[in-house]
Amino acid sequence: MTDDTHDRLLIIDFGSQVTQLIARRLRELNVYCEIRPYQKVTVESIREMAPKAVIFSGGPDSVTRDGSPRAPQDLFDMGIPILGICYGQQVMMEQLGGKVDGGKISGGGGTAEFGRAFVSPEGTLPLLDGWFKDDDNEQVWMSHGDHVSQLAPGFEVYGTSPNAPYAITADLSRNFYAVQFHPEVHHTPRGAKLYENFVRLAGFKGDWTMGAYREEAVARIREQVGDKKVICALSGGVDSSVAAALIHEAIGPQLTCVFVDHGLLRQNEAEEVVGMFRDHMNLQVIHAQEQELFLGKLEGVSDPERKRKIIGRLFIDVFQKYANEIDGAEFLAQGTLYPDVIESVSFSGGPSVTIKSHHNVGGLPEKMGLKLVEPLRELFKDEVRALGREFGLPDHFIGRHPFPGPGLAIRCPGEITRAKLDILRQADAVYIDQIRKHGLYDDIWQAFVAILPVRTVGVMGDGRTYDYACALRAVTSVDGMTADYYPFSHDFLGETATRIINEVPGINRVTYDITSKPPGTIEWE
Ligand code: XMP
């Protein structure tokens, strides 16, 4: 969807792994941008979007290969400032009359280069204002096989590195800039400054703020929904919560939320979520108490995929049952985020293996004949959090760790029993309390306890115990796709184990899971 009231920037994706980071850097500068795969970008689509500037991402292909990705040639005559990055630089040079050499066959003095490099300035360039500290070297991240061997007419060199004589180039008369390195990655520590300068030179006002977004989103929801009704599956997670708050602001009582309590929630979770939305924010929330149904169907089931499938199917049935009671509902609200809708260029191809069947309500709209309202489709996770703050959702709620749809079922390997769930809830509450008390909660992507399907012998006081063992899990991650275990101190782990064993009847042994992902996954099932 193109927003037509903000300055807009178009990122043409040539398939770099880090294209999304470019968008992140720009959003941090309050610049609205959209990523579009190069195959979909035409002169007409550019005219329609009317971007104030364009960025060419990096990419894995070689411009020396026939049929490799290009930008629409006419774009270069539209008077729009362009910044090319890595492959984007090479595309610019190639399309504008320069030359690119492939691989390590060194032409104009450049070679393939992967990793840290240092760039030094050549003359002055407004794009570099405030970037080189004391005119010294600046660290950048290079990742390229090919290199430019001859600049396109009109371009000059403004920065070099030992292996990239054309590290920074520009054609000032056309406002075209092209760099060989990746300013968007962490390893180019001051790279954000280049984006800041680029958007300033292109005349951006920095008008993309959450306050403005809120007003526009409300207007758009009203226009889309009219006087019809909307239903929303409230999970208690940040995305569905913020989506509900936004839609409620737009259409008030036309929104009904359904909170499905499957008996696999954490301690006090249902009360907190329902209490906050129903009592404090005045939303209509149906608290679907379906613990018996879910736990009944899960009885005796220990296979992880079967558990997931049972929960997924029941969830849809239950949601449908409650939704059918809402007369005239025509829309289903979903907290879909921008990373889920970006159509990036994929060079990997091939079907991927199902590791876990993820729980979602994806098939619902067609099944129930509902249309979708997805008011967060343009936002990244941290923007959703910022929007949540605009609505006065408390920080401890907005910053909550992700919690999976199948809930505690996948933290209880083996058979699920009510007794085990009770123990798990208590242990989890103590663990999270410890993490909060030690000020570690926000450094961790996700932390939880899993109750293990083994009992072990212990001694407490003078007596023998024979109770469950549990595993603590805590990971750092950016997106949940990969993760590292969190390096707690031994003091923290010892204190936490002591508290859990003392405070939670039923557990007499605590272990810490030090598996990263891959090869592990974050959840145990
Ligand atoms: P894994 O265990 O696959 O988890 O490494 C990655 C992230 O996804 C969450 N997760 C889920 N979230 N429905 C969800 O909404 C699911 O079925 C589901 N399974 C895992 C997990 O908590 C972690 O954040």
Side-chain angles (χ1 to χ4, degrees):
M1 186 195 302
T2 299
D3 184 287
D4 50 9
T5 54
H6 297 289
D7 291 343
R8 289 172 298 282
L9 188 145
L10 169 65
I11 300 169
I12 302 184
D13 182 20
F14 289 110
S16 159
Q17 301 287 325
V18 289
T19 303
Q20 278 207 30
L21 288 181
I22 305 175
R24 290 299 318 123
R25 297 285 96 84
L26 292 165
R27 295 284 181 99
E28 281 157 17
L29 296 166
N30 295 334
V31 167
Y32 179 80
C33 59
E34 287 184 21
I35 299 174
R36 298 194 182 168
Y38 74 91
Q39 303 98 320
K40 296 268 176 84
V41 179
T42 59
V43 170
E44 294 71 45
S45 69
I46 297 172
R47 281 211 187 94
E48 195 207 326
M49 181 184 178
K52 245 188 157 143
V54 175
I55 292 180
F56 293 177
S57 84
D61 213 328
S62 167
V63 297
T64 61
R65 189 183 69 73
D66 277 349
S68 55
R70 293 286 182 277
Q73 191 66 37
D74 290 349
L75 164 61
F76 298 105
D77 300 323
M78 293 172 84
I80 304 173
I82 302 175
L83 170 64
I85 292 162
C86 196
Y87 182 88
Q89 178 194 43
Q90 295 160 12
V91 162
M92 274 172 95
M93 292 306 148
E94 174 77 19
Q95 292 194 247
L96 292 171
K99 266 207 190 127
V100 174
D101 282 347
K104 293 190 174 154
I105 315 147
S106 160
T111 50
E113 209 178 1
F114 297 93
R116 190 191 318 248
F118 289 89
V119 174
S120 353
E122 296 256 320
T124 53
L125 178 71
L127 182 75
L128 306 177
D129 280 355
W131 190 51
F132 285 108
K133 267 194 246 147
D134 310 321
D135 288 344
D136 213 350
N137 287 339
E138 197 54 53
Q139 184 186 316
V140 299
W141 192 254
M142 296 279 190
S143 178
H144 61 102
D146 297 353
H147 62 274
V148 174
S149 57
Q150 189 188 312
L151 289 179
F155 277 82
E156 308 264 352
V157 177
Y158 293 94
T160 60
S161 78
N163 280 319
Y166 302 134
I168 303 170
T169 63
D171 174 346
L172 289 176
S173 65
R174 291 190 278 183
N175 247 332
F176 289 171
Y177 306 90
V179 299
Q180 180 59 80
F181 55 90
H182 288 270
E184 63 277 15
V185 303
H186 181 68
H187 297 88
T188 302
R190 287 159 42 78
K193 188 77 193 159
L194 294 193
Y195 289 110
E196 188 185 322
N197 288 340
F198 177 63
V199 296
R200 176 176 49 79
L201 293 169
F204 280 80
K205 295 188 287 289
D207 55 8
W208 172 251
T209 63
M210 278 306 112
Y213 180 79
R214 173 182 180 174
E215 277 176 32
E216 283 155 24
V218 162
R220 265 184 285 164
I221 295 165
R222 285 189 185 139
E223 193 184 313
Q224 186 190 4
V225 172
D227 58 0
K228 304 292 184 300
K229 287 190 180 153
V230 180
I231 48 176
C232 174
L234 195 61
S235 68
V238 179
D239 306 342
S240 67
S241 300
V242 174
L246 184 58
I247 296 170
H248 181 249
E249 174 161 280
I251 56 167
Q254 286 161 253
L255 170 72
T256 306
C257 297
V258 181
F259 179 77
V260 178
D261 188 340
H262 47 24
L264 300 159
L265 299 168
R266 292 167 290 190
Q267 202 166 66
N268 300 327
E269 186 152 29
E271 294 73 15
E272 275 174 27
V273 174
V274 174
M276 183 170 80
F277 283 94
R278 190 193 277 164
D279 305 335
H280 293 292
M281 298 182 65
N282 244 340
L283 267 78
Q284 302 189 60
V285 182
I286 298 175
H287 184 174
Q289 306 259 13
E290 298 286 353
Q291 299 90 325
E292 295 305 316
L293 174 71
F294 280 85
L295 298 182
K297 292 273 195 238
L298 286 168
E299 228 169 80
V301 178
S302 47
D303 177 72
E305 275 299 287
R306 269 199 71 209
K307 284 183 189 173
R308 282 176 171 273
K309 293 235 158 79
I310 292 171
I311 296 168
R313 210 183 46 239
L314 285 178
F315 190 92
I316 289 184
D317 289 350
V318 165
F319 185 73
Q320 204 165 354
K321 179 177 96 181
Y322 286 88
N324 285 342
E325 291 169 12
I326 302 158
D327 247 2
E330 284 192 18
F331 292 90
L332 176 74
Q334 269 182 0
T336 316
L337 304 191
Y338 192 47
D340 306 326
V341 300
I342 296 177
E343 251 188 291
S344 26
V345 178
S346 164
F347 284 86
S348 56
S352 53
V353 181
T354 301
I355 307 290
K356 301 177 183 187
S357 306
H358 268 227
H359 163 102
N360 63 51
V361 289
L364 259 182
E366 300 88 65
K367 212 170 155 195
M368 297 180 64
L370 295 169
K371 286 171 264 180
L372 282 177
V373 186
E374 296 180 303
L376 311 180
R377 274 177 76 87
E378 292 159 318
L379 304 186
F380 284 95
K381 189 86 176 180
D382 48 346
E383 292 174 316
V384 172
R385 294 202 165 109
L387 186 58
R389 280 185 205 104
E390 286 272 324
F391 284 108
L393 296 178
D395 267 340
H396 71 86
F397 190 84
I398 287 171
R400 287 206 313 175
H401 294 167
F403 186 62
L408 299 182
I410 57 175
R411 296 176 179 178
C412 190
E415 203 176 321
I416 299 165
T417 65
R418 282 158 218 260
K420 278 206 247 175
L421 289 174
D422 278 345
I423 296 171
L424 175 54
R425 271 190 268 268
Q426 289 178 58
D428 193 73
V430 173
Y431 180 42
I432 298 299
D433 182 58
Q434 276 287 102
I435 289 176
R436 284 201 189 274
K437 276 198 176 129
H438 284 258
L440 303 174
Y441 191 85
D442 294 335
D443 296 340
I444 294 171
W445 160 267
Q446 206 170 4
F448 56 86
V449 176
I451 185 164
L452 303 185
V454 279
R455 292 205 286 164
T456 71
V457 174
V459 51
M460 278 180 92
D462 290 328
R464 175 187 193 266
T465 58
Y466 186 53
D467 286 329
Y468 286 108
C470 73
L472 311 181
R473 184 83 167 128
V475 295
T476 54
S477 177
V478 177
D479 51 12
M481 305 296 284
T482 58
D484 286 318
Y485 74 85
Y486 188 78
F488 285 127
S489 69
H490 279 279
D491 284 350
F492 173 88
L493 288 170
E495 188 184 301
T496 306
T498 305
R499 268 195 69 190
I500 291 178
I501 292 168
N502 285 342
E503 294 175 34
V504 183
I507 287 190
N508 69 354
R509 195 171 296 263
V510 175
T511 64
Y512 186 47
D513 178 356
I514 54 166
T515 321
S516 292
K517 172 184 180 174
T521 56
I522 296 176
E523 302 289 346
W524 272 53
E525 287 190 335

